[in-house]
Amino acid sequence: MSVHDDLTAVQRSLDDLVRSVGRLEKQVGSDSLDVRRVRTDADHLRESVALLRAASPSERVRTERVPIPDTPYDRTLWADAEDEGLGSREGRAP
């Protein structure tokens, strides 16, 4: 997975956690020190993930397109190049 995918997965999990904490607050009450601590920790985690997302490099790398002409290449470009393909210059494979 990419960093973006991992951060998205973490964000979804945190959203589920925040919803669960909200339901817990309704059942137990938000006056409890422990529930407030869990709510605060969940909020801190969301802020940390937002900072990570802002600091992560963008997935898209924009590059300049280079047009490739349809005309054949000049054969002199390959004059000193060696053929590294299969077979030999004589047409017989070793």
Side-chain angles (χ1 to χ4, degrees):
M1 277 208 283
S2 68
V3 173
H4 177 71
D5 293 339
D6 288 338
L7 286 172
T8 301
V10 169
Q11 185 65 50
R12 282 191 203 121
S13 297
L14 281 174
D15 292 342
D16 291 341
L17 175 65
V18 169
R19 282 191 292 275
S20 297
V21 169
R23 288 192 300 268
L24 185 64
E25 282 179 326
K26 288 179 184 176
Q27 292 175 359
V28 176
S30 60
D31 295 337
S32 169
L33 176 64
D34 295 329
V35 173
R36 286 187 307 202
R37 184 177 296 141
V38 170
R39 166 62 70 189
T40 302
D41 290 345
D43 291 339
H44 285 185
L45 284 171
R46 290 180 86 180
E47 290 172 7
S48 296
V49 169
L51 290 173
L52 278 174
R53 188 179 295 273
S56 70
S58 108
E59 291 291 320
R60 296 182 183 174
V61 177
R62 297 181 186 225
T63 58
E64 181 180 335
R65 292 186 181 201
V66 177
I68 299 174
D70 290 334
T71 58
Y73 289 108
D74 183 11
R75 292 180 86 42
T76 59
L77 290 173
W78 313 111
D80 294 335
E82 292 185 23
D83 184 12
E84 295 182 8
L86 295 175
S88 65
R89 294 179 191 247
E90 293 85 34
R92 296 185 310 261

